[in-house]
Amino acid sequence: MLNNNDTEMQIHGIAASPGICVGKAYLVGREGVDVVEKYSVKREKLKEEIKRFKDAVKKAKDELYRIIEQTPKDLSQHAHILETHMVLFKDKMLYGRTIETIENEQVNAEWALKTVASNVKAMFSDMTDSYLRARAADIIHVSDSIMRNLIGAETESIASIGKQVILVATDLSPAETSQIQLEKVMGFITDRGGKASHTAIIARSLEIPAVLGLENATRIIKNDDIIIVDGTSGVVIINPTGQALIQFEERQERYEEHKAVISRESHLPAVTLDGIHLQVMGNIELPEEVVAVMTYGGDGIGLYRTEFQYLSRSDFPSEDELFDKYKDVVDVITPRPVTIRTLDINGDKAASYASDSEAANPVLGLRGIRYCLQKPDVFKTQLRAILRASAFGHIRILLPMISCLEEILETKKILNEVADSLDNEGIDYDRNIEVGIMIEVPSAAILADIMAKNVDFFSIGTNDLIQFSLAVDRVNRQVAHLYQPLHPAVIRMVKHVADVARDSGINVFMCGEMASDPMNLPILLGLGLEKLSMNPQSIPMAKKTIRSLAINETRPFIAEVLKETTTKGVMNLVQNTYGSILSDKIFKEG
Ligand code: PEP
Ligand code: MG
């Protein structure tokens, strides 16, 4: 049995968001579905087991019926899908076979359902007809809802959790993470996920400790177990002893002190020892986070990920809604700049009304600029809102997922049309607004010289650039060790982009998480990157590190870095040359 009762136990995962907390575990209901035990059922108990299954089907059907009844008329398409699910509950393949499996194999209902559902899913997904393949997704939904009722797991939404807890989940989507309410959730841990995932990025923005990629947390931890989450070292302690709790308190105190010391200096400028003034800005997902950027001494917003305003809702936001949000941000951050990135929807940030659930590789699918160019109305609505807000402060426009020149040219055409429409209506906007692109697809990095002639600035998005250039999924725990910002290929690619930008006389920013790790700063400064943007929490430490570096030393250091042939070699070189400066290690090792 995996059940650990009350003995202390430690599990290790990926340190995704710093900070330490202790509290009661709260297993996110839906995820209980994955934890299926198999046990045999005596012949005389089979009838009872089948009844248990039928009861669960009935409860799941009743739940769905209530949801259909409550679905507003304008979402009737959605209701239609749910009605299809109603039929599937009594489908012979799912319902009939599960009962047969319980009887024939004398196993528990959960196991029988899981086996049957996997077979049906496999059968559907092998079909070439896309409509039939899509039915596989419906079967998953239906079997999950029966399973939830069998296991007795609750289906509460994350937004409605009502006590101070630590969430334990198989996975949390970025949309779910963004709904976490800070007064109710102290931290979270998941079985899946990687450090550069949007889930991790949002945890850092929300400043809640998080450990991801724990693999088995949902199997080992039970509801209400006391757990300590150390998001700085990636350790989770289950049922800690008194001794462990005392150590936890000491560590938490040291962490708070460390944070306070760094925060006190956060408003000092990021000037290197040889007098070069760098810009250190913040990345935000929600307008409210602008306050954190200010608190941590950010020089503006280097990346506003606008897609979160499109998630967790049933339809696209209106131009006025978007304008109000952008203006809120501008009003707080002015006179500092804000770089608004146009919609990077889909990929791992899918809105139900705008995504293609059949895409096998959504991250390489119809997302970001590709989506916007196919949906000019959606794009124009956002561009109008951004241009209108530009009349109130310093806004830059940033285009995500650019992979070829045509995407820039097409976007500019649409932007001109939008500007003309505002002109015709006599609405004011910044006529000199800068338009830049994310360099996050390797083809854009390779074509940097061509791109530079057509845009005002680059922003290097290392989160995706690393994922795509090293072919390592940024959310996959199993290959997290291969996700290496200091891989020699990444360094060369960043160098190429920075060199081209300098030669072309355009600005280059870095807004990927690579910029937030002090360990990477000697190299980034040496490559000539002087405008960095990161999660707000990391700003004070980055500024402090920059104040201890001299560019006239980091520049020649790059020649040494380029001689290294492996990530480990680069890391050792940085450690040997700059180890004493990179002081936040204290906490990583603590
Ligand atoms: C990136 O890819 O580096 C980036 C900053 O964008 P996102 O993390 O939103 O994909
Ligand atoms: Mg990206």
Side-chain angles (χ1 to χ4, degrees):
M1 276 298 270
L2 287 164
N3 205 330
N4 58 303
N5 292 325
D6 287 314
T7 20
E8 181 180 297
M9 184 174 180
Q10 271 200 18
I11 49 177
H12 296 253
I14 295 164
S17 176
I20 308 168
C21 60
V22 64
K24 280 191 177 173
Y26 184 98
L27 275 103
V28 178
R30 169 171 62 80
E31 311 300 345
V33 170
D34 263 352
V35 191
V36 173
E37 267 188 276
K38 179 183 184 182
Y39 53 88
S40 47
V41 177
K42 291 202 179 105
R43 187 165 295 280
E44 61 271 23
K45 296 268 179 198
L46 284 177
K47 262 211 177 110
E48 234 172 83
E49 195 62 14
I50 291 168
K51 180 168 183 311
R52 210 163 67 75
F53 173 68
K54 287 184 176 171
D55 287 349
V57 172
K58 182 168 183 325
K59 276 191 205 150
K61 273 183 85 174
D62 290 349
E63 266 171 18
L64 186 63
Y65 186 70
R66 275 196 300 279
I67 294 173
I68 293 175
E69 274 198 329
Q70 287 161 10
T71 303
K73 289 260 173 311
D74 51 337
L75 295 178
S76 54
Q77 206 190 346
H78 185 57
H80 173 71
I81 298 171
L82 300 181
E83 277 154 15
T84 322
H85 290 185
M86 270 314 230
V87 179
L88 282 175
F89 276 117
K90 281 284 164 83
D91 188 272
K92 237 180 113 207
M93 275 196 298
L94 194 69
Y95 182 82
R97 293 243 171 97
T98 303
I99 295 176
E100 272 168 36
T101 309
I102 298 173
E103 275 173 340
N104 298 345
E105 296 185 20
Q106 298 188 19
V107 286
N108 55 317
E110 290 88 342
W111 188 259
L113 177 63
K114 183 188 153 97
T115 317
V116 170
S118 323
N119 290 344
V120 178
K121 258 185 278 173
M123 204 171 84
F124 271 97
S125 50
D126 278 350
M127 291 180 175
T128 44
D129 184 303
S130 64
Y131 173 80
L132 289 177
R133 260 202 336 263
R135 297 283 66 77
D138 295 330
I139 290 171
I140 299 173
H141 280 292
V142 169
S143 63
D144 276 0
S145 63
I146 301 173
M147 188 72 87
R148 261 197 309 269
N149 281 290
L150 270 175
I151 291 177
E154 289 165 26
T155 55
E156 265 175 305
S157 88
I158 286 183
S160 67
I161 290 170
K163 47 187 175 179
Q164 271 255 339
V165 291
I166 294 172
L167 296 185
V168 182
T170 305
D171 202 2
L172 287 181
S173 72
E176 285 169 326
T177 314
S178 69
Q179 285 175 46
I180 286 179
Q181 293 177 23
L182 297 176
E183 66 280 10
K184 295 175 182 165
V185 175
M186 290 183 283
F188 69 87
I189 61 177
T190 61
D191 292 340
R192 304 202 186 118
K195 195 167 182 145
S197 65
H198 285 102
T199 301
I201 290 171
I202 295 165
R204 293 196 280 275
S205 294
L206 294 173
E207 296 189 41
I208 51 176
V211 177
L212 310 188
L214 283 159
E215 202 171 347
N216 274 326
T218 52
R219 282 161 210 263
I220 300 170
I221 298 170
K222 297 184 271 66
N223 261 332
D224 290 340
D225 273 351
I226 300 288
I227 53 178
I228 296 176
V229 174
D230 186 339
T232 314
S233 64
V235 174
V236 174
I237 304 177
I238 307 156
N239 294 323
T241 57
Q243 177 71 16
L245 283 168
I246 292 169
Q247 278 170 359
F248 151 78
E249 266 173 33
E250 285 168 5
R251 210 163 141 59
Q252 195 183 33
E253 233 168 74
R254 273 169 47 217
Y255 177 76
E256 294 302 333
E257 263 168 39
H258 168 82
K259 238 176 96 173
V261 169
I262 296 173
S263 297
R264 269 202 294 280
E265 299 169 352
S266 68
H267 288 274
L268 297 175
V271 179
T272 59
L273 292 173
D274 49 349
I276 311 286
H277 192 160
L278 271 70
Q279 269 178 289
V280 181
M281 293 165 287
N283 295 348
I284 64 168
E285 288 76 39
L286 302 168
E288 305 82 83
E289 290 164 17
V290 65
V291 180
V293 176
M294 302 291 285
T295 311
Y296 287 121
D299 298 314
I301 292 168
L303 172 64
Y304 178 1
R305 292 182 168 98
T306 55
E307 45 280 1
F308 287 83
Q309 264 149 264
Y310 292 69
L311 308 180
S312 308
R313 52 183 293 151
S314 56
D315 203 356
F316 293 100
S318 68
E319 178 186 320
D320 282 346
E321 270 176 84
L322 294 173
F323 166 75
D324 287 344
K325 298 285 181 198
Y326 302 156
K327 186 164 177 301
D328 283 350
V329 172
V330 168
D331 284 347
V332 177
I333 206 81
T334 300
R336 299 168 194 81
V338 48
T339 303
I340 302 187
R341 185 174 71 184
T342 60
L343 189 57
D344 189 9
I345 206 163
N346 294 336
D348 64 338
K349 293 168 289 188
S352 54
Y353 55 91
S355 73
D356 169 14
S357 56
E358 283 173 56
N361 289 306
V363 168
L364 303 179
L366 192 61
R367 64 174 277 206
I369 199 72
R370 304 165 181 181
Y371 179 85
C372 288
L373 292 174
Q374 272 205 16
K375 304 273 176 196
D377 290 347
V378 174
F379 200 16
K380 282 181 183 170
T381 303
Q382 183 179 34
L383 291 173
R384 269 181 70 98
I386 298 175
L387 282 188
R388 280 172 57 196
S390 72
F392 299 88
H394 182 180
I395 288 184
R396 300 185 183 104
I397 296 180
L398 176 59
L399 310 174
M401 284 298 288
I402 293 287
S403 62
C404 61
L405 178 62
E406 292 89 324
E407 287 164 340
I408 301 174
L409 302 179
E410 244 184 279
T411 301
K412 286 201 163 172
K413 215 169 121 219
I414 294 178
L415 190 60
N416 283 334
E417 282 170 28
V418 168
D420 285 348
S421 73
L422 291 176
D423 281 335
N424 290 339
E425 292 165 45
I427 299 174
D428 198 16
Y429 62 91
D430 176 5
R431 277 153 216 284
N432 297 316
I433 194 163
E434 291 167 80
V435 179
I437 56 167
M438 293 284 292
I439 300 282
E440 55 184 343
V441 178
S443 59
I446 294 164
L447 294 184
D449 56 328
I450 295 171
M451 304 300 190
K453 293 195 181 80
N454 292 279
V455 295
D456 300 309
F457 65 93
F458 289 156
S459 190
I460 306 178
T462 51
N463 303 340
D464 278 319
L465 189 62
I466 295 169
Q467 150 164 278
F468 296 137
S469 54
L470 302 183
V472 177
D473 184 345
R474 64 195 262 194
V475 303
N476 186 333
R477 179 192 61 79
Q478 287 171 308
V479 286
H481 62 291
L482 297 174
Y483 189 93
Q484 300 164 344
L486 294 184
H487 190 295
V490 174
I491 294 172
R492 275 157 211 241
M493 207 172 277
V494 172
K495 180 174 186 305
H496 173 67
V497 175
D499 289 349
V500 169
R502 191 174 42 249
D503 295 347
S504 314
I506 66 167
N507 275 326
V508 58
F509 299 76
M510 177 174 281
C511 64
E513 289 294 298
M514 182 176 181
S516 70
D517 187 341
M519 172 97 180
N520 302 333
L521 290 175
I523 293 180
L524 297 183
L525 268 55
L527 292 174
L529 284 157
E530 297 184 358
K531 297 174 196 308
L532 308 172
S533 192
M534 57 196 66
N535 69 80
Q537 262 198 93
S538 300
I539 294 173
M541 194 62 213
K543 287 176 105 179
K544 184 177 158 72
T545 309
I546 289 166
R547 286 194 290 269
S548 334
L549 295 168
I551 297 220
N552 57 24
E553 287 173 13
T554 56
R555 287 244 165 90
F557 175 60
I558 291 301
E560 299 307 310
V561 171
L562 291 174
K563 287 184 200 152
E564 293 298 336
T565 51
T566 61
T567 306
K568 189 132 191 36
V570 176
M571 289 174 84
N572 287 342
L573 181 65
V574 174
Q575 193 58 39
N576 294 339
T577 318
Y578 289 100
S580 56
I581 292 173
L582 305 172
S583 52
D584 93 313
K585 292 295 280 169
I586 318 166
F587 240 87
K588 289 193 177 142
E589 282 150 14

